[in-house]
């Protein structure tokens, strides 16, 4: 089926369903740190070391706000600053093992929460989700490309 063959309003309905699901899922995650902190750690996990200015742009905050956030996460042992081997004037923010472990644990908690919900669906509904997996993965790739910008 081509994009032109979809029913009018299908994109809006799908978008509303996905947005609603994502926001409810985010609200259920543990509140042991701010969403911006957790998102920053996840960005570092996906993209590797980044400059503070890049992190600020990706997460939609000011550079001073990101600097303060990185300082708190550094004091908590979740990130560390390292010099950029290709440019000695640049400092990169990197995940520590504790930071990577935090991201893995949080991601796994989210996966388990969805597994429990999926367990309550009918067989036909699960099959529909399985059939939609390639499209959902492609949506995630498209969103990441638009949000994260170039990797350092």
């Amino acid at each position: 089926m081509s994009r032109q063959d979809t029913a009018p309003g299908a994109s809006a309905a799908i978008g509303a369903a996905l947005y609603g699901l994502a926001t409810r899922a985010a609200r259920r995650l543990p509140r042991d740190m701010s969403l911006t902190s957790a998102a920053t750690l996840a960005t570092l996990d996906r993209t590797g070391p980044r400059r503070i200015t890049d992190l600020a742009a990706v997460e939609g905050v000011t550079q001073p706000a990101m600097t303060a956030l990185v300082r708190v996460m550094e004091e908590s042992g979740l990130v560390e600053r390292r010099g950029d081997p290709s440019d000695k004037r640049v400092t990169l923010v990197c995940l520590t093992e504790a930071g990577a472990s935090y991201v893995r644990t949080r991601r796994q908690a989210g996966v388990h929460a969805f597994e429990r919900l999926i367990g309550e669906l009918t067989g036909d509904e699960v099959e529909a989700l399985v059939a939609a997996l390639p499209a959902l993965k492609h949506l995630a790739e498209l969103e990441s490309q638009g949000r994260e910008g170039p990797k350092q």
Side-chain angles (χ1 to χ4, degrees), residues 5-128:
D5 295 336
T6 59
S11 293
I14 294 166
L18 290 173
Y19 181 78
L21 183 60
T23 56
R24 284 189 294 279
R27 284 189 201 119
R28 290 178 183 232
L29 290 172
R31 293 284 186 214
D32 53 344
M33 74 170 52
S34 73
L35 289 177
T36 305
S37 296
T40 300
L41 292 175
T43 296
L44 290 169
D45 185 58
R46 278 190 312 277
T47 66
R50 302 288 291 255
R51 295 178 181 198
I52 286 181
T53 53
D54 294 336
L55 286 171
V58 167
E59 302 306 335
V61 299
T62 64
Q63 184 175 344
M66 182 55 68
T67 300
L69 186 73
V70 166
R71 186 177 63 252
V72 169
M73 291 191 299
E74 192 173 24
E75 290 168 0
S76 298
L78 300 171
V79 300
E80 63 186 9
R81 298 177 205 224
R82 293 186 191 154
D84 184 343
S86 65
D87 185 345
K88 299 297 181 196
R89 300 168 295 170
V90 174
T91 300
L92 299 175
V93 179
C94 310
L95 271 185
T96 61
E97 183 50 44
S101 176
Y102 177 86
V103 171
R104 284 190 302 271
T105 299
R106 188 174 175 103
R107 189 172 292 136
Q108 197 58 43
V111 168
H112 288 316
F114 278 111
E115 284 176 334
R116 285 190 296 276
L117 290 172
I118 292 166
E120 296 180 29
L121 298 177
T122 67
D124 288 344
E125 289 169 325
V126 173
E127 285 180 25

